[in-house]
Amino acid sequence: MKPVSAEKVRVSDTFWTPYMELVRKVIVPYQWEVMNDRVEGVAKSHAVANVRIAAGLEEGEFYGFRFQDSDLAKWLEAAAWCLATERDPGLESLADGLIEDLGRAQWPDGYLNTYFTLKEKGKRWTCERDSHELYVAGHLIEAAVAYRRATGKTRFLDIMRANADHIDSIFGPQEGKLHGYPGHQVTEMALVGLYGETGEKRYLDLARYFIDERGRKPAFFELEAAARGQPDDKGYFRERMAEYNQTHLPVREQKKATGHAVRAVYMYSAMADLAALDGDAKLAEACRELWKDVTRRQMFVTGGIGQDESWEGFSEDYDLPNASTYNETCASIGLVFWAARMARLERKGDYFDVAERALHNGVLSGISLDGRKYFYVNLLESLPSVVAGTRDMNYASTTRKGWFPCACCPPNLARLIASIGGYIYSSSPGGRGSPPNVSVQLYIASEASLDIAGAALRIALRGDYPRSGRIGISVSPDRPACFSLRLRIPGWCAGFRLSLNGGDLNLAPVEGYVSILREWASGDSVDLELPMPVRRVAANPAVTADAGKVAIARGPVIYCLEEVDNGPNLADIVLAAEPRFSERFEEGLLGGVVAVYADAFRRGNGGAGPREAGEGGIQDRASELAAWGDDLYRDYEPFNTPLRIKAVPYYAWDNRGENEMLVWIRQG
Amino acid sequence: MKPVSAEKVRVSDTFWTPYMELVRKVIVPYQWEVMNDRVEGVAKSHAVANVRIAAGLEEGEFYGFRFQDSDLAKWLEAAAWCLATERDPGLESLADGLIEDLGRAQWPDGYLNTYFTLKEKGKRWTCERDSHELYVAGHLIEAAVAYRRATGKTRFLDIMRANADHIDSIFGPQEGKLHGYPGHQVTEMALVGLYGETGEKRYLDLARYFIDERGRKPAFFELEAAARGQPDDKGYFRERMAEYNQTHLPVREQKKATGHAVRAVYMYSAMADLAALDGDAKLAEACRELWKDVTRRQMFVTGGIGQDESWEGFSEDYDLPNASTYNETCASIGLVFWAARMARLERKGDYFDVAERALHNGVLSGISLDGRKYFYVNLLESLPSVVAGTRDMNYASTTRKGWFPCACCPPNLARLIASIGGYIYSSSPGGRGSPPNVSVQLYIASEASLDIAGAALRIALRGDYPRSGRIGISVSPDRPACFSLRLRIPGWCAGFRLSLNGGDLNLAPVEGYVSILREWASGDSVDLELPMPVRRVAANPAVTADAGKVAIARGPVIYCLEEVDNGPNLADIVLAAEPRFSERFEEGLLGGVVAVYADAFRRGNGGAGPREAGEGGIQDRASELAAWGDDLYRDYEPFNTPLRIKAVPYYAWDNRGENEMLVWIRQG
């Protein structure tokens, strides 16, 4: 399976195109201003200045984290995908200028990292466990590949090939090289991508080496510490450090997702890449085990992952605390990367079910509708008064922020949204008894061109997903061609209707896809309807945090309650046993969304007596609490106040002022 | 108000006497063995050896925390109260021997601390923020006072007076002294107690100085750091350090409980002492504000306090997370100390309502029924599989442990239980229009002698509280005397019956007490009945963690569900709307407790279909989970399986093997 890359897909979608426009017109320009420290009231970046200082173009001192350059890398990648969508000479010249500066900041031997150029000059390659040197390189390589594909220009790719060659001269199995691997993974998948773009097998070999070497004993990070003369330096998480950075076991023996979630899913992505490219069955099996652990035991209903704040990472199976979770935006983005790669490894609808779950919920929740504010941490339940006093509000904030001291998430969102077209289609020439095939993985209105079964195919997808599940697909090969068109039937969909050129097709999905195998001719059209009733979702009984609660869902979209619609104290709201759902597309609401209404009641406790419902059903919390006075506990004397609640898509919460929010609602 | 001290009260109670016997016969001997490192499989103590090494009696090195001596202090206090109850020459000789060794370990100038004698000799009084020097002194002073009262012997008190005199020479407002206060409070209340025992006003003045100085700027701990040449050393919690140790504000300006809970309540105890002794209205008002914040906004239904694991302390108001709380046993013990002192400051039933809540629930939960195992952290919801992977199991364990590296709680429990008799009665000579009075604060069967209104009074209390609320009180002054007998009517009690010499009395409680003012004569008897129906308790609507849930209570006892009685997956259990409670005293259960039974159901979700109820209503969780397979989320398809649940007193949980436990039950 090979995805149809973003630059070959033209997206014209009611849902995604506005986001892509936002990236191009607002987010990329805004983030450029932030990284130039020209935006007031947000965390200082200094990322551009670091490069210009390292390039000798400015005086000054390095500022920021050791991985500050990676923000620029992700921004450049976002810019690249924007340029692939639409030419923009101003943006291209900004990007070209930055690329030139990066070239000037590069050492003659190919090394490129402003922190270790300016701040700790003599210390390169001495503490990869913490240094993020390979991490920064990885993101820059990914950006360079994207920039080459988007613009056809090679300068950036040349810079990063020289950098990759330098890394190849430092790391590897050969004597005299460091027998190591990245402290923060991403380099591995970047090198696979660089191999894909250049055909240079050395890069693939190095990626494979990094993956294979990881977890071997004696551990590289311990040898490195000894070489620094710090044999007792075990790192920030001490005895948990190896789990934190996934070096506790060889990757093929890892069955349970552990440690820092972004590191983990970036690594699993490379593992899936290599399993597919090498036909490595053992690596594929490890990927499947880890996939099961992450998505079946440690994933929120929003596609959020990494529930443990202490190390921004995984926890125990079924430990999914809604109010105290971490769910870094980057982790959900990484889950999409991984899912897409798992789908290349084997065709199972589940992979893009998860990708879609993350995209429509836990990824997009990371960004405000105006593109200028971001969540780093994605709570599923927010009570601002408590969160403010109990969490690190630099990251676990209850309202989005303009930037972060560690600003990994905002440009990561930008590059993913800008390249969303690359996740829609994939194709395979078939073989070994399997016909050539084209798969539709996400229902994003778009048009793509690809070669299949000897024909040049134009495939176009129409619809207004996820507002509705009515999808039209036109299939136009330049000459009749026999191949299978495979359409993902989402796991949330209880029944679907499929027709070909107006005639019903009665096909059963296999592994999440229906396959229409025939000789296709120009003008063929397929209609697919995925009914989208409002659903209530329950969690596995082992998830105690969700016991007695349901989440409201419609299609791939998970809903939430916000205080602005339902009044404060959302935890008091109980969904009726038969909640008579209604839905309404509201043009003016949150950029145009389907709002969901349902019967519910507020259950008061403790003899406070029934109260009047306020305007629009909003309770007056002050009077409710006043009735309790100073009492913390009272005998139980319940009373119910009926209420028609309004739920909105989770990804769009916190766009109407800071307020309470709740995904899992008590079910009466 | 003056309490009748423990050595003047003879307890003969069905509930408490077995605990006191346990302390005398099992706990004190067991802890002595542990502190001599003669118990296998528990954390090393070395506390006795430290003293013997410091005394020059043994060779060796100090081991343990800087406050290791405080374990011995609390053990000596427990031993003292045991000796007050019953002579025990063996125990007394052990204690005398240890006291002699402490005397030998004392410096000629009165300084006494084995850590700073053996390990950091030159560093005494250089980092009180962390050193616990005053803390250790405080616990030893409290023990010495108790030992004097219990045995009449003065040797220990002499040692600790010399130590207190030394401290008085180091700290104080005078030039040349350190203008400081304890890094871990307790010294303040200890000095008040030393003043009470010796009448030496200097000790009271020093206690007051410590309280008044706290929170002044520039902060002592910063000056101390500068004097050490470490001006940047802000301590473990850095910018939160001042809140951690309650030095962020002068104590009279502190309105919200913050930081380390044990430090806090020990300080509040001394504040209440001083407010009463000095008639300090401003200090009394601060005590009331803090009392309200702790008991009305930050206290679990069990009397557990200190919900934030990160600093073993307070959090935000109404943030009461049942599964992730900390609730150190010592903090609930300290809450009892504070409550008793607040009750001296002003007669409000609320103070002993809280003390009783803590004693019967969050304090006694700290100890196993066999006296040999302890909880440091007291969860209100325990799912061992998750807790084991997400908490520091040295302390937040899901089953009690034999000892801890930091072993503050076990001997603290021992000294409180051994002195429980001191919390039952108090008296006041009256004045300013108020008659002399005797108060009964806790309904523990016992006999006490005290002087009131010119008579020698023998007061005796009978009953089997909390098994029932039927209490008999005989009042026998040696000559007729006019005073008021005040009986606490617990806040949980919705109606009570009171009679005097067989005739009904119709009195309304004022501030939680009914007062019988009359001329009492020998042979008078009062009968009080506090009905104890099973109740359901709800939490204030602001406590989102308890939304939709109730706790089962009977009298002062909070109940819980255990897996051993109700099967696994307790979070699935929903109490019926009308649960038809029944109760039964079960002699063989947990040392003899009233078990509570109720109608409930297990609600399954997600179309797993109804299952057979297993033996005794216990569900087969394996088959329930098997029905879900690998699914983490499914559409909601509820089904109910009826169940008669069994609840047991919370304090007695985890005495039948490690298992799931739950206090707050879903209410249908």
Side-chain angles (χ1 to χ4, degrees):
Chain A
M1 296 290 299
K2 206 165 168 284
V4 180
S5 181
E7 76 276 11
K8 294 182 186 144
V9 180
R10 181 133 216 105
V11 174
S12 53
D13 188 62
T14 54
F15 187 85
W16 285 101
T17 298
Y19 272 107
M20 294 173 75
E21 291 286 292
L22 198 65
V23 170
R24 204 164 56 81
K25 292 183 183 159
V26 176
I27 299 173
V28 161
Y30 169 78
Q31 296 188 351
W32 177 252
E33 292 304 296
V34 171
M35 292 192 303
N36 278 281
D37 299 305
R38 292 192 290 251
V39 176
E40 296 272 320
V42 302
K44 180 174 171 179
S45 165
H46 209 252
V48 173
N50 289 339
V51 173
R52 294 185 54 81
I53 296 164
L57 299 167
E58 276 180 26
E59 293 290 309
E61 283 185 15
F62 180 92
Y63 173 87
F65 286 99
R66 277 168 286 202
F67 46 81
Q68 210 75 351
D69 296 344
S70 65
D71 297 346
L72 291 173
K74 286 184 266 189
W75 180 87
L76 276 167
E77 185 175 341
W81 295 122
C82 288
L83 294 172
T85 305
E86 188 158 328
R87 289 232 42 189
D88 180 336
L91 176 61
E92 191 161 338
S93 121
L94 268 189
D96 284 342
L98 177 59
I99 288 162
E100 284 310 317
D101 291 349
L102 284 166
R104 287 191 196 97
Q106 189 170 35
W107 291 56
D109 64 358
Y111 187 82
L112 176 54
N113 184 305
T114 67
Y115 179 86
F116 287 92
T117 299
L118 298 173
K119 194 140 175 181
E120 297 205 63
K121 209 164 178 170
K123 301 222 172 140
R124 57 149 101 162
W125 307 128
T126 59
C127 186
E128 173 56 29
R129 184 193 68 204
D130 304 334
S131 73
H132 291 75
E133 285 164 282
L134 290 174
Y135 172 78
V136 165
H139 274 308
L140 284 166
I141 290 168
E142 290 194 320
V145 168
Y147 205 75
R148 167 75 174 74
R149 286 208 212 154
T151 64
K153 294 180 181 172
T154 59
R155 172 73 178 132
F156 194 9
L157 194 68
D158 292 343
I159 292 170
M160 294 318 299
R161 284 190 70 155
N163 183 247
D165 292 342
H166 168 71
I167 291 168
D168 191 41
S169 78
I170 299 289
F171 289 90
Q174 299 84 354
E175 211 169 321
K177 291 190 183 179
L178 292 175
H179 306 321
Y181 34 74
H184 189 314
Q185 300 91 321
V186 79
T187 334
E188 302 89 332
M189 62 196 277
L191 287 167
V192 173
L194 186 61
Y195 157 73
E197 189 63 21
T198 62
E200 175 60 73
K201 202 176 147 298
R202 269 189 307 119
Y203 303 138
L204 180 66
D205 291 341
L206 185 56
R208 187 187 303 111
Y209 173 74
F210 282 150
I211 289 293
D212 290 349
E213 186 65 19
R214 205 167 194 95
R216 290 238 176 105
K217 300 284 177 276
F220 169 57
F221 295 146
E222 286 171 26
L223 299 174
E224 206 188 28
R228 283 196 305 276
Q230 304 170 319
D232 295 334
D233 175 5
K234 298 193 182 310
Y236 187 77
F237 290 100
R238 306 195 56 81
E239 60 283 357
R240 297 170 79 208
M241 198 70 200
E243 282 179 77
Y244 171 75
N245 55 31
Q246 296 89 31
T247 56
H248 56 303
L249 285 172
V251 301
R252 286 170 188 76
E253 295 170 29
Q254 296 189 22
K255 309 279 182 211
K256 185 175 172 341
T258 182
H260 189 253
V262 178
R263 281 173 167 80
V265 288
Y266 284 4
M267 178 175 87
Y268 306 155
S269 296
M271 286 164 65
D273 274 341
L274 289 163
L277 284 167
D278 294 347
D280 183 332
K282 223 176 149 192
L283 198 54
E285 187 51 32
C287 287
R288 278 184 212 104
E289 286 287 329
L290 289 164
W291 178 262
K292 200 192 284 184
D293 189 60
V294 170
T295 67
R296 297 310 195 256
R297 298 191 281 264
Q298 300 205 65
M299 180 183 73
F300 286 84
V301 71
T302 56
I305 55 172
Q307 63 274 64
D308 184 342
E309 180 168 32
S310 72
W311 63 4
E312 303 187 315
F314 292 106
S315 168
E316 290 303 298
D317 292 348
Y318 303 114
D319 176 35
L320 293 164
N322 296 300
S324 65
T325 189
Y326 202 71
N327 288 6
E328 183 177 339
T329 303
C330 284
S332 288
I333 292 171
L335 180 60
V336 174
F337 296 157
W338 182 26
R341 284 162 173 80
M342 290 302 288
R344 285 176 222 168
L345 185 59
E346 57 189 4
R347 191 184 302 97
K348 277 191 187 166
D350 181 46
Y351 298 125
F352 267 92
D353 281 0
V354 168
E356 186 181 59
R357 182 188 289 279
L359 284 168
H360 279 282
N361 302 290
V363 168
L364 284 184
S365 60
I367 190 164
S368 64
L369 294 176
D370 72 1
R372 288 184 170 85
K373 292 191 179 298
Y374 310 93
F375 276 131
Y376 191 108
V377 163
N378 293 276
L379 306 175
L380 271 77
E381 182 175 335
S382 178
L383 191 64
S385 59
V386 168
V387 176
T390 55
R391 305 284 301 269
D392 175 358
M393 292 296 286
N394 282 319
Y395 298 101
S397 63
T398 49
T399 189
R400 293 183 186 82
K401 286 172 171 275
W403 207 246
F404 304 94
C406 165
C408 48
C409 303
N412 218 0
L413 278 162
R415 69 175 182 143
L416 174 61
I417 294 169
S419 62
I420 194 71
Y423 294 88
I424 306 170
Y425 306 100
S426 66
S427 70
S428 162
R432 286 186 299 182
S434 156
N437 58 74
V438 174
S439 291
V440 179
Q441 298 157 164
L442 293 177
Y443 294 107
I444 299 176
S446 57
E447 213 178 291
S449 302
L450 62 149
D451 295 326
I452 189 81
L457 172 69
R458 225 171 43 79
I459 181 167
L461 200 150
R462 294 175 315 282
D464 59 355
Y465 194 90
R467 179 173 167 186
S468 90
R470 282 180 298 276
I471 295 139
I473 301 165
S474 63
V475 180
S476 302
D478 64 349
R479 59 177 195 73
C482 185
F483 61 91
S484 177
L485 178 68
R486 301 190 171 186
L487 306 175
R488 183 175 63 91
I489 305 301
W492 54 258
C493 182
F496 64 95
R497 281 170 49 178
L498 185 67
S499 63
L500 171 67
N501 298 328
D504 279 357
L505 277 185
N506 200 352
L507 291 173
V510 175
E511 293 283 14
Y513 283 85
V514 286
S515 299
I516 312 172
L517 175 59
R518 66 192 293 271
E519 191 181 68
W520 296 90
S522 188
D524 280 343
S525 77
V526 173
D527 287 289
L528 174 65
E529 185 171 352
L530 305 169
M532 281 191 185
V534 176
R535 291 170 295 124
R536 280 178 288 177
V537 175
N540 186 297
V543 183
T544 56
D546 299 335
K549 297 178 180 176
V550 297
I552 295 175
R554 184 179 171 278
V557 178
I558 301 297
Y559 280 70
C560 70
L561 303 183
E562 282 199 274
E563 181 181 351
V564 66
D565 297 314
N566 302 288
N569 222 17
L570 299 174
D572 269 359
I573 293 176
V574 182
L575 205 56
E578 303 291 342
R580 292 192 310 126
F581 287 115
S582 64
E583 53 180 80
R584 191 167 70 199
F585 181 76
E586 299 185 13
E587 190 74 48
L589 178 66
L590 298 166
V593 296
V594 176
V596 170
Y597 297 83
D599 290 336
F601 50 90
R602 280 182 175 274
R603 175 162 290 180
N605 272 341
R611 297 143 296 166
E612 298 285 323
E615 264 182 65
I618 293 180
Q619 295 285 332
D620 176 355
R621 190 186 193 194
S623 67
E624 178 179 5
L625 294 178
W628 270 72
D630 275 339
D631 285 354
L632 185 51
Y633 302 106
R634 283 188 180 185
D635 282 2
Y636 177 65
E637 291 176 27
F639 62 91
N640 295 329
T641 312
L643 186 73
R644 185 96 179 140
I645 56 167
K646 176 177 183 176
V648 297
Y650 168 75
Y651 72 84
W653 86 278
D654 186 44
N655 278 290
R656 293 172 292 169
E658 184 173 23
N659 72 161
E660 278 189 47
M661 183 277 297
L662 187 70
V663 171
W664 288 96
I665 307 166
R666 288 164 58 191
Q667 174 60 62
Chain B
M1 296 292 297
K2 206 167 169 283
V4 180
S5 182
E7 74 276 11
K8 295 183 184 142
V9 179
R10 181 134 217 105
V11 174
S12 53
D13 188 64
T14 52
F15 187 85
W16 285 101
T17 297
Y19 271 107
M20 293 172 75
E21 291 286 292
L22 198 65
V23 170
R24 205 164 56 80
K25 293 184 183 158
V26 176
I27 298 173
V28 161
Y30 168 78
Q31 295 189 352
W32 178 253
E33 293 303 298
V34 170
M35 293 191 302
N36 277 282
D37 299 305
R38 292 192 289 252
V39 176
E40 297 272 321
V42 302
K44 180 174 171 179
S45 166
H46 210 254
V48 174
N50 290 338
V51 173
R52 294 183 55 80
I53 296 164
L57 301 167
E58 276 180 24
E59 294 289 309
E61 281 184 18
F62 179 92
Y63 173 86
F65 286 99
R66 277 168 287 199
F67 45 83
Q68 208 76 351
D69 296 343
S70 65
D71 297 345
L72 291 174
K74 286 184 267 189
W75 180 86
L76 275 167
E77 185 176 340
W81 296 122
C82 288
L83 295 173
T85 304
E86 188 158 330
R87 289 231 42 187
D88 181 337
L91 176 60
E92 192 162 337
S93 118
L94 268 189
D96 285 341
L98 177 58
I99 289 163
E100 284 310 318
D101 291 349
L102 284 166
R104 286 191 196 96
Q106 189 170 34
W107 290 56
D109 65 358
Y111 187 83
L112 175 53
N113 184 304
T114 68
Y115 178 87
F116 286 93
T117 298
L118 299 173
K119 192 138 176 183
E120 296 206 63
K121 210 166 180 170
K123 299 221 173 142
R124 57 150 102 161
W125 307 128
T126 59
C127 187
E128 173 56 30
R129 185 192 67 206
D130 304 335
S131 73
H132 292 74
E133 284 164 283
L134 289 174
Y135 172 79
V136 165
H139 274 308
L140 284 167
I141 289 169
E142 291 194 319
V145 169
Y147 206 73
R148 167 74 175 73
R149 286 209 210 154
T151 64
K153 293 181 182 173
T154 59
R155 172 71 178 133
F156 195 9
L157 194 68
D158 292 343
I159 292 170
M160 294 318 298
R161 285 191 69 154
N163 183 248
D165 293 341
H166 168 72
I167 292 168
D168 191 39
S169 77
I170 300 289
F171 288 91
Q174 298 86 355
E175 210 169 320
K177 291 189 182 180
L178 291 175
H179 306 322
Y181 34 75
H184 189 314
Q185 300 92 320
V186 80
T187 335
E188 303 89 332
M189 60 195 277
L191 287 166
V192 173
L194 186 60
Y195 158 73
E197 189 64 20
T198 62
E200 175 60 74
K201 203 176 146 293
R202 271 189 304 120
Y203 302 139
L204 181 65
D205 292 342
L206 185 57
R208 188 186 303 112
Y209 173 73
F210 282 149
I211 289 293
D212 289 349
E213 186 67 19
R214 204 168 195 94
R216 291 239 176 105
K217 300 283 176 278
F220 170 58
F221 295 146
E222 287 171 24
L223 299 175
E224 205 188 29
R228 283 196 305 276
Q230 303 170 322
D232 294 335
D233 175 4
K234 296 191 183 314
Y236 186 76
F237 289 99
R238 306 195 56 79
E239 61 284 355
R240 297 171 80 208
M241 197 71 200
E243 283 179 77
Y244 170 74
N245 54 32
Q246 298 88 30
T247 56
H248 57 302
L249 284 172
V251 300
R252 286 171 187 75
E253 295 169 28
Q254 296 189 22
K255 309 279 181 211
K256 185 175 172 339
T258 182
H260 190 253
V262 178
R263 281 171 166 81
V265 288
Y266 284 5
M267 179 175 85
Y268 306 155
S269 296
M271 287 165 62
D273 274 340
L274 289 163
L277 284 168
D278 294 346
D280 183 332
K282 224 174 148 193
L283 198 53
E285 187 51 32
C287 287
R288 279 183 212 104
E289 286 286 329
L290 289 163
W291 179 262
K292 201 192 285 183
D293 189 61
V294 171
T295 67
R296 297 309 193 258
R297 298 192 280 264
Q298 299 206 65
M299 181 183 73
F300 286 84
V301 72
T302 55
I305 55 171
Q307 62 274 64
D308 185 341
E309 180 168 31
S310 72
W311 62 6
E312 303 188 314
F314 292 107
S315 167
E316 290 303 298
D317 292 347
Y318 303 114
D319 175 37
L320 293 163
N322 296 301
S324 66
T325 189
Y326 202 70
N327 288 5
E328 183 177 339
T329 303
C330 285
S332 288
I333 292 171
L335 180 60
V336 174
F337 297 158
W338 182 27
R341 283 161 173 82
M342 291 302 288
R344 285 177 221 166
L345 185 60
E346 57 188 6
R347 191 184 301 97
K348 278 190 187 166
D350 181 46
Y351 298 126
F352 267 92
D353 281 1
V354 168
E356 186 181 58
R357 183 189 287 280
L359 283 168
H360 278 283
N361 303 289
V363 169
L364 283 185
S365 60
I367 191 165
S368 63
L369 295 176
D370 71 2
R372 288 183 170 84
K373 291 189 180 298
Y374 310 93
F375 275 131
Y376 190 108
V377 164
N378 292 277
L379 306 175
L380 270 78
E381 182 177 333
S382 178
L383 191 65
S385 60
V386 168
V387 176
T390 56
R391 306 285 301 269
D392 175 358
M393 292 297 285
N394 282 318
Y395 298 101
S397 63
T398 49
T399 189
R400 293 183 187 83
K401 286 172 171 275
W403 206 247
F404 304 94
C406 165
C408 48
C409 302
N412 218 359
L413 278 161
R415 68 174 182 144
L416 174 62
I417 294 168
S419 62
I420 193 71
Y423 294 87
I424 304 170
Y425 307 99
S426 66
S427 70
S428 161
R432 288 186 298 182
S434 156
N437 58 75
V438 174
S439 292
V440 179
Q441 300 158 160
L442 293 178
Y443 294 107
I444 299 176
S446 57
E447 211 177 293
S449 301
L450 63 148
D451 295 326
I452 190 81
L457 172 69
R458 227 173 40 81
I459 182 167
L461 201 151
R462 297 175 314 280
D464 60 355
Y465 193 91
R467 179 172 166 186
S468 91
R470 282 180 298 278
I471 295 139
I473 301 165
S474 64
V475 180
S476 302
D478 63 351
R479 59 177 193 74
C482 185
F483 61 89
S484 177
L485 178 68
R486 301 189 171 185
L487 305 176
R488 184 175 62 91
I489 305 301
W492 54 258
C493 182
F496 63 96
R497 281 169 50 176
L498 184 67
S499 63
L500 171 67
N501 296 328
D504 279 358
L505 278 186
N506 201 350
L507 292 172
V510 176
E511 293 284 13
Y513 283 85
V514 286
S515 299
I516 313 173
L517 174 61
R518 67 191 295 268
E519 191 182 68
W520 296 90
S522 188
D524 280 343
S525 75
V526 173
D527 287 288
L528 173 65
E529 185 169 356
L530 305 170
M532 281 190 184
V534 177
R535 292 170 295 123
R536 281 178 287 177
V537 175
N540 186 298
V543 183
T544 55
D546 299 335
K549 297 177 179 177
V550 296
I552 295 175
R554 185 179 170 279
V557 180
I558 302 296
Y559 280 69
C560 70
L561 303 183
E562 284 199 271
E563 182 181 349
V564 66
D565 297 313
N566 302 288
N569 223 16
L570 299 174
D572 269 358
I573 292 176
V574 182
L575 205 56
E578 303 292 340
R580 292 193 309 126
F581 286 115
S582 62
E583 51 181 81
R584 192 168 68 199
F585 180 77
E586 300 186 12
E587 191 75 47
L589 178 65
L590 298 166
V593 296
V594 176
V596 169
Y597 296 82
D599 290 336
F601 51 90
R602 283 181 173 273
R603 175 162 289 178
N605 273 341
R611 297 146 298 168
E612 297 285 323
E615 263 182 64
I618 294 180
Q619 295 286 333
D620 176 354
R621 190 185 194 194
S623 67
E624 178 179 5
L625 295 179
W628 270 73
D630 276 339
D631 284 354
L632 185 51
Y633 302 106
R634 282 189 181 184
D635 282 1
Y636 177 65
E637 291 175 28
F639 62 91
N640 296 330
T641 312
L643 187 71
R644 185 95 179 141
I645 57 167
K646 176 177 185 176
V648 296
Y650 168 75
Y651 72 84
W653 85 278
D654 186 44
N655 277 290
R656 293 172 292 168
E658 184 172 23
N659 72 159
E660 277 189 49
M661 184 277 296
L662 188 69
V663 170
W664 288 95
I665 307 166
R666 290 164 56 191
Q667 174 60 62

